[in-house]
Amino acid sequence: MPDSQLIAARHVSTRVDHPAVRWMLIVLAVLVVGVLIIVPVINVFAQAFSAGWTTYWTSLLADADTRHSILLTLIVAPISVAANVVFGVAAAWAIARFRFPGRTLLTTLIDLPFAISPVVAGLLIVLIFGLQGYLGPWLREHDIKVIFALPGLILATTFVTLPFVARELIPVMEAIGPEEEVAAVSLGANAWQTFWHVTLPNIKWGLLYGVVLCNARAMGEFGAVYVVSGRIDGLTCTMPLRVEKLFQQLRHDDMAGSFALASILTLLALVTLAAKVSLERKTRGELAEAAATKIVGAEPLVAETVGTSA
Amino acid sequence: MATTSRRVLPGFTASLSVTILYLTVLVLIPLAACVMKTLSLSPAEFWAAVWTRQARAAYEFSIGASIVSALVNCVLGLLIAWVLVRYEFPGKRILDSLVDIPFALPTAVAGLVYSSLYVERGWLGQFLVPMGIEAAYTRLGVVVVLVFIGLPFVVRALQPVLESLEVEAEEAAAMLGASRWQTFRWVIVPLILPALVTGFSLSLARALGEYGSVVFVSANRPFVDQIAPMLIVAKLEEFQYGEATAIAVVLLIMSFALLIAVNVLERWSKRHYA
């Protein structure tokens, strides 16, 4: 291993591009990220605060429908995330710790919601729970509202964010391996003790990483929720839907309101990103530690490569 | 690795039951409902729904805009991934994490901002509109926002592959007298091609299904800038569930085909490059 590094260092000159080429490419890349990503993010805040702080706060807090949309998002997202955490942990335990027929198929099924357009996801829920849907007559008889109500919003959001936690946990648990859990069980720990004292501490950063990504998507979901909500102000408009509603009204003060609400969502995205960067470092450490303890006496380089490829 | 652990570790039946039950309720039953709804249509009805002039125009624009944006992403993504992997410069780590913003930013926010950046008085529109480039409420606007949405897929697909490229291949090319460009074109590009195609497909799949951002930047004019998901929503708002489902099936088939293609490609490149 160190040999190849030495060789790389000796011959690195042939891989280095001409400084002019290098700087031109760097400037181009920064320009692309600047125009596509940085300018839009700054523009959200610039437009949100264009009429001053007081307008910003009144457009956020004085409008009852906007206030309700924030509350609704704060109800829907945690429920969806919690459901997907339970599912994600169960799926990762089954897939990463056992071999059984249909295991690959199960992994593909978990990824499926990522391949389905959010609008189609919403449509699927309408087909089952809508008034003309398969369960529609039964639901009406029992006076249960799913579509154009909170349960529909939760269902749609949960569907769209289903893969996040499981996808994050499966590779982490596979990399850590079952040795510690097997040891715990053979020392007499029961299932709950093994999970709580051995598995959970091992996967906690990976789990949190999945939760952060899942939550960001849950709070920002638009297409699926748009279809099932009916967009009733003060009732089924989540934050992203409210942003669109204010935008469609096309009055200048509403544009400010739209951008004010959008600035909160942008802030959420920036916090998510910061959390993601620090958690990535932590999960790398988690995996490196696991790799180091697994291969006793291995050089630290091995741990490093396992960590970075994850 | 864990073949023996079934006898040792607890919770196999419980965890597998939860997983299967959850997937059945949330994914399989809804998909079955979609199949049932589709089968309830006669072939003639199905065809009449999916092959109207308006529907064809929507697929055409959806597919066209998605392919163009995914191709643009391949170029921009390769540039950004190359710079991030090969060069050292101040602010590199910040640039690296900023690439993930399109993943984290709600699509509605992206749509809102992009719809106002390129209008005549917008931050970028004030320079572009006088030059005749109108990227607000036009087809170009839809492509631009799809480029934003899909950019991270290509960058993140390419980064690990560029990092793991063998020095020896470039060495050999240089020793045999190849210029940097020749080395790039004939040695590096073939090696990163599978990853580039993966990034392209992921970006394409995302663009095909995208709705949240496009709804802001498109004027939703049939035959001009209406995408297929918008047509589904329009049909749903008219309570024409059958037609909406038929168009959704077309979209589903396209995205499943892409998903399978990506999986096959990944397995193939793992076999050939491992």
Side-chain angles (χ1 to χ4, degrees), chain A residues 22-194:
Chain A
R22 193 168 66 214
W23 283 108
M24 195 186 71
L25 292 179
I26 291 174
V27 167
L28 270 177
V30 170
L31 217 75
V32 168
V33 174
V35 169
L36 280 176
I37 294 171
I38 301 173
V39 167
V41 167
I42 295 172
N43 187 264
V44 175
F45 293 103
Q47 298 222 41
F49 290 110
S50 59
W53 279 88
T54 31
T55 324
Y56 179 77
W57 286 114
T58 43
S59 59
L60 272 183
L61 298 173
D63 187 322
D65 292 338
T66 300
R67 276 204 315 266
H68 183 270
S69 74
I70 298 173
L71 182 72
L72 191 60
T73 294
L74 291 178
I75 293 170
V76 172
I79 295 176
S80 294
V81 172
N84 284 331
V85 164
V86 173
F87 163 73
V89 170
W93 183 259
I95 288 171
R97 287 293 174 264
F98 302 97
R99 292 289 176 274
F100 52 91
R103 190 171 157 274
T104 323
L105 181 73
L106 206 61
T107 319
T108 315
L109 267 181
I110 292 174
D111 275 347
L112 216 52
F114 275 165
I116 297 175
S117 168
V119 168
V120 176
L123 168 82
L124 297 180
I125 292 166
V126 172
L127 283 181
I128 297 178
F129 298 102
L131 277 183
Q132 300 173 35
Y134 291 104
L135 292 178
W138 185 87
L139 289 170
R140 200 163 10 163
E141 230 169 74
H142 293 78
D143 205 26
I144 305 169
K145 285 199 86 176
V146 176
I147 298 302
F148 304 154
L150 185 63
L153 296 178
I154 293 171
L155 267 177
T157 308
T158 311
F159 179 97
V160 171
T161 57
L162 184 145
F164 279 102
V165 180
R167 264 179 83 116
E168 201 47 54
L169 281 185
I170 293 168
V172 169
M173 281 183 72
E174 265 174 355
I176 289 171
E179 288 83 2
E180 288 182 34
E181 284 137 6
V182 172
V185 170
S186 40
L187 288 172
N190 65 29
W192 184 246
Q193 286 170 324
T194 307

